[in-house]
């Protein structure tokens, strides 16, 4: 015979389950996104070329980056390449890849420098393209700020000189929030924190998850 749980007992179990969700949330790494994102952007500092773009991998596996492309779009939408094709690089799980202007202060610590002499500015957008497949290069992420015509949802704010735009939540929790709205997903960071492939994972990756794709 089947055993039926009394209704009042079922209700108590449901209440306990709901409380557990709020009091004991899932660990941060389990809540991270499923694709690579643009994480932090500085437009300029002491010079206009003191700029960087940090790309973040929120997944539990390293991501091969060879053949990906990074471009910028002006306020009117004109596009030009910052990195025409990435070389054989990989972004570690919960790690970052740093791209910077070759003549700027971040050039020495960058994993990749802009290949042409391009530069980003206020009211621009940055577009990250995946590798070419069947003649199509997919847009993996797009961030627009100021009056940029290209953006996801509403544009983020123009960052003040020497400051950056950082994707939430930021810091040790990583930069994985992606609601499809740049204004909601990014905040101004007064002290930029550019990080590349040599930086520690954010958040830490359990050893069982540290595979490759």
């Amino acid at each position: 015979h089947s055993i039926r749980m009394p209704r009042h007992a079922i209700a108590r179990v449901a209440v306990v389950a709901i409380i557990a969700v709020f009091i004991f949330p899932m660990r941060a790494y389990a809540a991270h996104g499923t694709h690579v994102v643009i994480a932090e952007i500085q437009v300029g500092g002491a010079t206009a070329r003191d700029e960087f773009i940090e790309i973040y991998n929120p997944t539990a596996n390293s991501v091969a980056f060879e053949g990906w492309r990074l471009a910028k779009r002006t306020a009117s939408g004109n596009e030009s390449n910052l990195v025409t094709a990435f070389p054989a690089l990989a972004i570690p799980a919960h790690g970052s890849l740093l791209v910077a202007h070759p003549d700027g202060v971040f050039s020495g610590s960058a994993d990749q420098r802009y290949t042409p002499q391009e530069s980003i500015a206020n009211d621009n957008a940055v577009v990250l393209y995946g590798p070419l497949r069947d003649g199509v290069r997919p847009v993996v992420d797009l961030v627009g700020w100021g009056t940029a015509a290209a953006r996801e949802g509403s544009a983020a704010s123009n960052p003040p000189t020497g400051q950056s735009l950082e994707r939430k939540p930021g810091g040790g929790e990583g930069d994985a929030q992606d609601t499809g709205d740049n204004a909601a997903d990014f905040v101004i960071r007064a002290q930029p924190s550019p990080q590349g492939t040599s930086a520690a994972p954010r958040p830490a990756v359990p050893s069982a998850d540290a595979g490759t794709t």
Side-chain angles (χ1 to χ4, degrees), residues 7-8 40 46 60 73 79-81 86 99 105 107 109 132 134 136 149 157-158 171 179 186-187 189 194 197 208:
R7 290 183 179 179
H8 64 276
E40 189 173 0
R73 292 183 190 173
E79 183 170 304
S80 56
N81 288 337
F86 279 88
V99 185
V105 69
S107 176
S109 58
L132 195 66
D134 299 323
V136 177
S157 300
N158 279 321
T179 66
F186 282 83
V187 295
R189 186 181 179 111
T197 53

Side-chain angles (χ1 to χ4, degrees), residues 1-177:
H1 298 283
S2 61
I3 299 175
R4 293 186 176 181
M5 185 180 293
R7 290 183 179 179
H8 64 276
I10 295 174
R12 282 198 298 269
V13 170
V15 170
V16 170
I18 293 171
I19 292 173
V21 168
F22 288 96
I23 297 180
F24 306 107
M26 296 177 69
R27 291 180 64 181
Y29 67 80
H32 270 46
T34 59
H35 67 89
V36 171
V37 292
I38 298 164
E40 189 173 0
I41 301 165
Q42 179 171 315
V43 173
T47 74
R49 294 182 175 181
D50 290 341
E51 57 185 72
F52 70 83
I53 300 164
E54 180 185 330
I55 301 167
Y56 178 68
N57 172 18
T59 75
N61 300 294
S62 66
V63 173
F65 226 61
E66 184 174 6
W68 291 50
R69 178 159 66 93
L70 186 66
K72 77 159 190 180
R73 292 183 190 173
T74 62
S76 60
N78 293 326
E79 183 170 304
S80 56
N81 288 337
L82 296 172
V83 180
T84 304
F86 279 88
L89 294 172
I91 309 181
H94 295 193
S96 297
L97 186 147
L98 186 62
V99 185
H101 196 288
D103 298 330
V105 69
F106 303 105
S107 176
S109 58
D111 299 299
Q112 176 66 39
R113 297 166 186 83
Y114 298 172
T115 42
Q117 291 296 307
E118 289 288 347
S119 187
I120 54 176
N122 284 342
D123 307 316
N124 280 187
V126 174
V127 191
L128 179 63
Y129 292 94
L132 195 66
R133 293 179 180 174
D134 299 323
V136 177
R137 190 181 291 277
V139 174
V140 177
D141 198 22
L142 166 67
V143 179
W145 55 94
T147 60
R151 60 188 184 271
E152 290 184 359
S154 299
S157 300
N158 279 321
T161 300
Q163 299 185 32
S164 68
L165 289 172
E166 184 180 25
R167 186 181 290 276
K168 299 176 183 177
E173 295 302 311
D175 305 289
Q177 177 174 308

